[in-house]
C-alpha cells in the first residue's frame, strides 16, 4: 500500500428517493447502501465508519473481488500447455485474486450521469501471476429501488476471469443475521474440503440445512450456528438474467438478487472480526452479515468438469448483478 494511499482515496455518493449509495475509488468498493424504510435511511450492508479503514481491510467488505474470485487450489493451474504460478494469500492457495488483487487497487472512477458511476482498471500481463493483460469496466447505476452492477472485461490472450461483488448484507440495524431468512434458486452445492476447496463433487440439497426456502431463518436451519461458506450452483447451461436469491429481515425488509451467473457463494461472515467501528458505530463481528456472491464455479481452472471461466480475446467477459430493496407496504 503506498504511503500516500489515504490522500488518494475518493468517493462518490449516488442518491434518489429510494436509495443512497457510496462508492470508493479503492477496490471498486461499495461502502454504503442505505434504503428509505418507513421514512428513515436504513443501512442494508456492513461498512466502516471511517472510509480510510477500507485501505487495510482484510475482509473484502463491499469490494469487487478478482481477477478470479473465490479460491484457486495450489495457487496455480495449467493453460495452453503452460504451468501458471500465482501469488498465494491463503496458505498454499489463492483467494479472491491474490494479495494484490482487484480489491487492493485504486481504480479510475468517473460519474457517467447523475445516477451512474464507472470504475475502470487495467491489469497488466503477469499481474498476481495471471497471463494476459485485462481491461475491466464496472458501471454502477441507481434505478428506483435497485442498484445495478454491469461488469465487463476484455483480454489480449486467454486467461481466467471470475468477478464477484462482495457486499455483506444485514438489512437494518441488527447485530447478527441469524433471524434473517434466505430463499435461493440453487439446485445443488459443491462439496468442499476443510480449506474451502471444491472436491469436484456436487451434492443435492434435499433434506439438509442447505435448503434455503425462505421459510426458515438461519438460526432455525443452523441451530448449532456453524455458519455457511458454500458455493451453490444454478443450471450452468442457463446463463441468463434471473432472480436467484431473496434475503428477508425480521421486519420484512427484503433484498432480491438478480444475476446471470452460474452460481453464488453464500458466506455468513464467520471470520469477520475487527476493532474498527462499523457505520453508525456498529460492531463488525462474526455472523453480523451475509455475503451473496454470484460468480462462476470456484477453482474451475483446476476442475475439468466445471464450466470454464477462461475468457478469450474477442469474447469479453460480462456479468450483470441487480440488487433490489423493498419493505412491507412498499
Amino acid at each position: 500500500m503506498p504511503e500516500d494511499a489515504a490522500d488518494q482515496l475518493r468517493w462518490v455518493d449516488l442518491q434518489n428517493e429510494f436509495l443512497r449509495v457510496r462508492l470508493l475509488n479503492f477496490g471498486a468498493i461499495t461502502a454504503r447502501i442505505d434504503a428509505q424504510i418507513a421514512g428513515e435511511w436504513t443501512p442494508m450492508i456492513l461498512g466502516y465508519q471511517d472510509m480510510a479503514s477500507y485501505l487495510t481491510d482484510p475482509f473484502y467488505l463491499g469490494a469487487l473481488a478478482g481477477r478470479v474470485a473465490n479460491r484457486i487450489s495450489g495457487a496455480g493451474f495449467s493453460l495452453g500447455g503452460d504451468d501458471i504460478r500465482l501469488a498465494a494469500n491463503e496458505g498454499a492457495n489463492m483467494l479472491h485474486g491474490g494479495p494484490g488483487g482487484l480489491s487492493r487497487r485504486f481504480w479510475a472512477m468517473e460519474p457517467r450521469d447523475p445516477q451512474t458511476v464507472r470504475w475502470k482498471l487495467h491489469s497488466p500481463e503477469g499481474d498476481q501471476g495471471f497471463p494476459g493483460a485485462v481491461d475491466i469496466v464496472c458501471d454502477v447505476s441507481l434505478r428506483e429501488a435497485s442498484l445495478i452492477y454491469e461488469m465487463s472485461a476484455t483480454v489480449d490472450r486467454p486467461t481466467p476471469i471470475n468477478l464477484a461483488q462482495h457486499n455483506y448484507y444485514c438489512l437494518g440495524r441488527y447485530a447478527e443475521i441469524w433471524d434473517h431468512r434466505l430463499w435461493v434458486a440453487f439446485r445443488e452445492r459443491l462439496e468442499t474440503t476443510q480449506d474451502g476447496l471444491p472436491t469436484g463433487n456436487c451434492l443435492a440439497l434435499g433434506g439438509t440445512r442447505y435448503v434455503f426456502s425462505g421459510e426458515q431463518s438461519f438460526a432455525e436451519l443452523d441451530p448449532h450456528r456453524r455458519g455457511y461458506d458454500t458455493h451453490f450452483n444454478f443450471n450452468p447451461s442457463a446463463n441468463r438474467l434471473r432472480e436467484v436469491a431473496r434475503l428477508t429481515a425480521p421486519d420484512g425488509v427484503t433484498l432480491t438478487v438478480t444475476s446471470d451467473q452460474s452460481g453464488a457463494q453464500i458466506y455468513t461472515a464467520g471470520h469477520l472480526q475487527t476493532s474498527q467501528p462499523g457505520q453508525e458505530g456498529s460492531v463488525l463481528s462474526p455472523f453480523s452479515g451475509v455475503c451473496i456472491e454470484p460468480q462462476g464455479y470456484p477453482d474451475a481452472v483446476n476442475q475439468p468438469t466445471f464450466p470454464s471461466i477462461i475468457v478469450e480475446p474477442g469474447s469479453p467477459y460480462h456479468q450483470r448483478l441487480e440488487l433490489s430493496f423493498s419493505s412491507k407496504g412498499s
Side-chain angles (χ1 to χ4, degrees):
M1 187 63 59
E3 293 184 2
D4 63 345
D7 295 332
Q8 298 181 51
L9 188 62
R10 300 287 184 274
W11 54 85
V12 172
D13 294 332
L14 301 178
Q15 182 171 335
N16 61 19
E17 62 181 301
F18 305 101
L19 297 173
R20 64 182 185 186
V21 176
R22 173 163 291 180
L23 306 171
L24 305 187
N25 67 336
F26 181 76
I29 285 170
T30 304
R32 295 189 71 109
I33 302 175
D34 297 334
Q36 187 68 215
I37 306 294
E40 180 180 3
W41 287 112
T42 304
M44 297 289 105
I45 63 172
L46 304 184
Y48 290 109
Q49 183 169 281
D50 180 2
M51 296 300 102
S53 296
Y54 287 99
L55 297 171
T56 55
D57 168 51
F59 304 110
Y60 305 92
L61 261 72
L64 189 61
R67 291 184 188 186
V68 176
N70 218 309
R71 295 170 174 88
I72 295 179
S73 61
F77 61 98
S78 296
L79 181 63
D82 295 327
D83 289 331
I84 309 298
R85 305 312 307 167
L86 305 172
N89 62 328
E90 189 183 61
N93 307 313
M94 173 181 270
L95 175 66
H96 289 331
L102 306 184
S103 61
R104 311 307 303 164
R105 306 291 179 80
F106 282 97
W107 294 58
M109 182 175 68
E110 58 184 23
R112 303 289 289 175
D113 60 51
Q115 299 296 301
T116 304
V117 166
R118 171 167 288 182
W119 284 309
K120 295 172 64 177
L121 183 72
H122 176 75
S123 178
E125 166 82 33
D127 192 355
Q128 306 300 293
F130 285 107
V134 181
D135 287 295
I136 303 157
V137 175
C138 180
D139 288 335
V140 186
S141 303
L142 282 184
R143 297 292 183 268
E144 296 185 334
S146 296
L147 183 64
I148 300 168
Y149 298 83
E150 197 86 35
M151 312 171 209
S152 64
T154 56
V155 305
D156 65 356
R157 58 178 288 195
T159 193
I161 303 289
N162 186 24
L163 305 180
Q165 208 291 321
H166 209 286
N167 288 334
Y168 287 69
Y169 302 102
C170 186
L171 308 181
R173 296 178 177 84
Y174 298 95
E176 296 179 327
I177 50 79
W178 292 111
D179 289 334
H180 283 55
R181 292 176 286 112
L182 180 64
W183 169 86
V184 293
F186 312 128
R187 64 175 188 171
E188 61 188 12
R189 64 183 174 92
L190 294 184
E191 181 183 56
T192 57
T193 68
Q194 289 187 340
D195 294 331
L197 296 166
T199 65
N201 295 326
C202 297
L203 303 176
L205 301 182
T208 74
R209 73 186 187 102
Y210 298 94
V211 179
F212 295 120
S213 66
E215 300 299 321
Q216 294 176 287
S217 67
F218 284 111
E220 291 170 322
L221 283 170
D222 183 22
H224 299 292
R225 304 203 172 190
R226 291 174 288 176
Y228 299 87
D229 190 6
T230 306
H231 186 88
F232 295 82
N233 302 333
F234 306 123
N235 183 345
S237 65
N239 284 357
R240 54 181 176 79
L241 195 65
R242 70 276 203 208
E243 184 177 319
V244 299
R246 286 193 305 273
L247 181 69
T248 304
D251 64 357
V253 174
T254 298
L255 161 66
T256 300
V257 179
T258 303
S259 171
D260 57 6
Q261 294 299 286
S262 60
Q265 190 84 6
I266 305 295
Y267 171 52
T268 50
H271 300 291
L272 179 62
Q273 185 73 64
T274 177
S275 60
Q276 297 295 320
Q279 53 184 281
E280 301 180 359
S282 61
V283 177
L284 301 177
S285 58
F287 311 112
S288 57
V290 56
C291 301
I292 304 170
E293 310 165 47
Q295 58 188 269
Y297 283 40
D299 202 28
V301 290
N302 291 309
Q303 296 287 349
T305 63
F306 287 0
S308 176
I309 59 169
I310 302 300
V311 175
E312 304 276 351
S315 298
Y317 170 91
H318 180 265
Q319 180 183 161
R320 184 178 175 94
L321 171 65
E322 299 180 5
L323 309 175
S324 301
F325 300 89
S326 62
S327 61
K328 290 180 178 178
S330 65

